[in-house]
Amino acid sequence: MLKYITIANNIRDKINNNEYVYGQRLPYEHELCILYNCNKQTMKKALAILVKEGFIVRRRGSGTYVKDSKTINPINYSSVIYTRPFANLYNDVKSQVVEFSVIQADDFIASKLQVHKDDFIYHIIRSRYINDKPYSLEITYMPINVIPNLRIDHLEHSIYSYIENDLNLKIQSGHKKITSSISTPLEQKYLLLRENEPFIQVEQIAYLSSGVIFEFSSSRHHFKDFEFHTIVLLG
Amino acid sequence: MLKYITIANNIRDKINNNEYVYGQRLPYEHELCILYNCNKQTMKKALAILVKEGFIVRRRGSGTYVKDSKTINPINYSSVIYTRPFANLYNDVKSQVVEFSVIQADDFIASKLQVHKDDFIYHIIRSRYINDKPYSLEITYMPINVIPNLRIDHLEHSIYSYIENDLNLKIQSGHKKITSSISTPLEQKYLLLRENEPFIQVEQIAYLSSGVIFEFSSSRHHFKDFEFHTIVLLG
DNA sequence: GAGTGGTCTAGACCACATC
DNA sequence: ATGTGGTCTAGACCACTCT
């Protein structure tokens, strides 16, 4: 494991376990370097992760301080379910596979996945539940030559785990687009919506670290249940 | 200006001007270092910005490649209007000030701004237009002692510009939460919604680089017009 | 094997807050 | 004045791809 990741994980754990609490000044960079036996730049890289995640703030001339993470309610991170700090909180996620087939890409899907028209791709529809309450309907397209040998039991758990652990591919980033539209009978059925009620859609194009697109997906949520959290760097 | 920011801006411009086009391999890191007269680490820092913004992808052993930024439609970045690459595209943003007063923080606002109950804060409601079409209703709370001397003409343009250029404070990050609710007459009036139609809300707590919270805001959008784009690092 | 990008170190210098 | 975190450099070593 990389040193700066290990250090970041360790410090994050300490914040989560209240060894460092809200408002507290962390040891100075130089002290942390000695504590973790690393160089200044490596410590900067580790702490930069925690800044990005919103756990700490660094002030030149002053020090590094723990931010108020109590304002972050982890249960609401349904749309960033695969990202680091919160993934483990979702033990009771179940998936019902509504559709699992191989189709040929039309122009729209081909442009999103950046494959050729008529290339073979998986077409997957899953209804997902947290604590037996429906919380999303997920429509997923994946090129069959990027993600081979997908089976239905992978869908019932996590496709991402199959990709990372079994295929040994590295998932890098997702470009997400959040929009809202009036529901059709499909969303009404699986999200328990009434006619004319809208749903929230999170469209995603997901990349491997190689730059290859492996997924185009649409996660659809009941408009009343939806919460999406993100930290944006400004200025 | 910082060297790595300058370099990132320059390379981003070249991509936007099609000097580097989709799929093209950029010069190797070492060549770019010579071209921009900088060190390896500085170039890494510059290119990391463009990776995060989704402009390029780097492949170990191979090179750095331009990603398909045509899938990113800048006009849709209404909710990240203040972030770097797209801010300049919004020349025709107008604000109508609906409310501008100083009130005392109740428990809810005080907890969001992390100030004391009954501290004085600005209460601002603005209706914003792009190309004379209503696109958001923004409700903003700011502690008066963090952002002093705010005047109505600041509200009609950009509060952020007043904070950064006049007060000389550095804006760092925003914690955004996106949700949806049924509209009240307020949203119906300013977003041209019908009864029982929902709106999309982007709640934000915004931080200065000092770690001080300077803003709690709610941007409300018509559900049909709303698009929010973000890039999430996975895995 | 050669060359790429990624990690890590050591150290200089700077901007900023006040330990 | 001292010490903080931020930037930049120079160089070693590693993992990975293929020029």
Side-chain angles (χ1 to χ4, degrees):
Chain A
M1 178 56 86
L2 297 178
K3 201 163 183 175
Y4 70 92
I5 302 276
T6 311
I7 295 170
N9 290 347
N10 189 290
I11 296 177
R12 189 192 303 103
D13 287 346
K14 287 192 178 175
I15 293 171
N16 282 330
N17 298 336
N18 287 315
E19 288 182 53
Y20 299 134
V21 300
Y22 164 58
Q24 185 178 344
R25 206 205 71 235
L26 260 57
Y28 296 124
E29 185 177 274
H30 179 61
E31 295 168 15
L32 287 171
C33 288
I34 296 168
L35 201 59
Y36 287 97
N37 185 33
C38 77
N39 178 274
K40 188 175 170 175
Q41 295 294 349
T42 304
M43 185 52 69
K44 277 185 196 305
K45 224 168 160 179
L47 294 176
I49 293 172
L50 302 180
V51 169
K52 202 190 66 183
E53 290 176 351
F55 285 99
I56 60 173
V57 59
R58 311 200 72 195
R59 296 183 203 153
R60 174 155 31 185
S62 176
T64 301
Y65 299 84
V66 179
K67 259 168 84 167
D68 185 9
S69 53
K70 285 185 288 296
T71 58
I72 303 175
N73 181 357
I75 199 63
N76 297 325
Y77 278 73
S78 58
S79 295
V80 285
I81 186 167
Y82 297 114
T83 58
R84 261 222 84 275
F86 310 102
N88 53 339
L89 295 163
Y90 290 93
N91 299 323
D92 196 19
V93 176
K94 294 199 190 90
S95 296
Q96 180 203 336
V97 178
V98 176
E99 164 91 31
F100 179 35
S101 56
V102 173
I103 63 172
Q104 289 181 282
D106 61 21
D107 283 323
F108 176 72
I109 303 290
S111 76
K112 293 291 183 183
L113 288 173
Q114 287 181 30
V115 299
H116 294 103
K117 186 171 183 302
D118 296 329
D119 277 8
F120 288 108
I121 51 173
Y122 298 113
H123 174 42
I124 301 160
I125 302 180
R126 289 183 296 174
S127 171
R128 314 204 83 184
Y129 301 82
I130 292 185
N131 300 328
D132 296 321
K133 181 175 180 301
Y135 92 104
S136 78
L137 182 68
E138 303 199 349
I139 302 170
T140 307
Y141 301 93
M142 292 180 157
I144 200 166
N145 65 333
V146 177
I147 310 295
N149 305 322
L150 198 58
R151 291 192 319 265
I152 199 160
D153 55 301
H154 300 132
L155 308 187
E156 284 159 355
H157 302 92
S158 164
I159 298 179
Y160 278 38
S161 145
Y162 170 66
I163 293 170
E164 293 210 300
N165 301 328
D166 298 350
L167 296 181
N168 217 12
L169 296 171
K170 263 190 224 149
I171 292 168
Q172 190 182 53
S173 64
H175 290 42
K176 289 178 186 281
K177 179 171 84 171
I178 302 173
T179 56
S180 179
S181 329
I182 297 292
S183 58
T184 69
L186 179 72
E187 293 89 22
Q188 286 157 24
K189 176 177 175 189
Y190 287 104
L191 300 176
L192 309 179
L193 282 160
R194 287 195 294 264
E195 221 172 319
N196 288 321
E197 286 187 329
F199 64 93
I200 312 285
Q201 168 177 260
V202 182
E203 236 180 63
Q204 170 167 266
I205 295 173
Y207 293 81
L208 298 173
S209 62
S210 63
V212 170
I213 294 172
F214 72 93
E215 178 190 83
F216 170 61
S217 68
S218 164
S219 298
R220 301 176 181 187
H221 301 256
H222 193 294
F223 72 102
K224 286 189 179 163
D225 294 338
F226 180 77
E227 284 203 19
F228 181 89
H229 292 243
T230 186
I231 296 174
V232 179
L233 298 181
L234 307 167
Chain B
M1 178 57 87
L2 297 178
K3 201 162 183 176
Y4 70 92
I5 302 277
T6 310
I7 295 170
N9 289 347
N10 190 290
I11 296 177
R12 189 192 303 103
D13 286 346
K14 288 193 177 174
I15 292 171
N16 282 330
N17 297 336
N18 287 312
E19 289 183 53
Y20 299 133
V21 299
Y22 165 57
Q24 183 178 345
R25 206 204 71 235
L26 260 57
Y28 297 123
E29 185 177 274
H30 179 62
E31 295 169 12
L32 288 170
C33 288
I34 296 167
L35 201 57
Y36 286 97
N37 185 35
C38 77
N39 178 274
K40 186 176 172 175
Q41 295 295 351
T42 304
M43 186 51 69
K44 277 186 196 304
K45 227 168 158 179
L47 294 176
I49 293 172
L50 302 180
V51 168
K52 202 191 66 185
E53 291 176 353
F55 285 98
I56 59 172
V57 59
R58 311 200 72 193
R59 298 182 200 152
R60 173 150 38 182
S62 175
T64 301
Y65 300 84
V66 180
K67 259 165 85 168
D68 183 9
S69 53
K70 286 185 288 296
T71 59
I72 302 173
N73 181 357
I75 198 63
N76 297 324
Y77 279 75
S78 58
S79 295
V80 284
I81 186 168
Y82 297 115
T83 57
R84 263 224 83 277
F86 309 103
N88 54 338
L89 294 163
Y90 290 93
N91 298 323
D92 196 18
V93 176
K94 293 199 190 90
S95 296
Q96 180 203 337
V97 178
V98 177
E99 164 93 32
F100 179 36
S101 56
V102 173
I103 61 171
Q104 288 180 284
D106 61 20
D107 283 325
F108 176 72
I109 303 291
S111 75
K112 293 293 184 182
L113 287 174
Q114 287 182 28
V115 298
H116 294 104
K117 186 170 181 302
D118 297 329
D119 278 7
F120 289 107
I121 52 173
Y122 298 113
H123 174 42
I124 302 159
I125 302 181
R126 290 183 295 173
S127 171
R128 314 204 83 182
Y129 301 82
I130 292 186
N131 298 328
D132 297 320
K133 182 176 179 299
Y135 92 103
S136 79
L137 182 68
E138 304 199 349
I139 302 170
T140 306
Y141 301 93
M142 292 179 159
I144 200 166
N145 65 333
V146 177
I147 309 295
N149 306 321
L150 198 59
R151 291 194 317 269
I152 198 160
D153 55 300
H154 300 131
L155 309 186
E156 284 160 355
H157 302 92
S158 166
I159 298 180
Y160 279 38
S161 147
Y162 171 65
I163 293 171
E164 294 210 298
N165 301 328
D166 298 350
L167 296 181
N168 217 11
L169 297 171
K170 264 191 222 149
I171 293 169
Q172 190 182 52
S173 64
H175 289 42
K176 289 177 185 283
K177 179 171 86 171
I178 302 173
T179 57
S180 179
S181 329
I182 297 292
S183 58
T184 68
L186 178 72
E187 293 89 22
Q188 285 156 24
K189 177 177 173 190
Y190 287 103
L191 299 176
L192 308 180
L193 283 159
R194 285 194 296 263
E195 221 174 317
N196 289 318
E197 286 187 328
F199 64 94
I200 312 285
Q201 167 178 257
V202 182
E203 235 179 63
Q204 170 167 267
I205 294 173
Y207 293 81
L208 298 174
S209 63
S210 64
V212 170
I213 294 173
F214 72 94
E215 176 189 84
F216 170 61
S217 67
S218 165
S219 299
R220 302 179 180 185
H221 300 257
H222 193 294
F223 71 102
K224 285 188 179 165
D225 294 337
F226 181 77
E227 285 203 19
F228 181 89
H229 293 241
T230 186
I231 296 174
V232 179
L233 298 181
L234 308 167

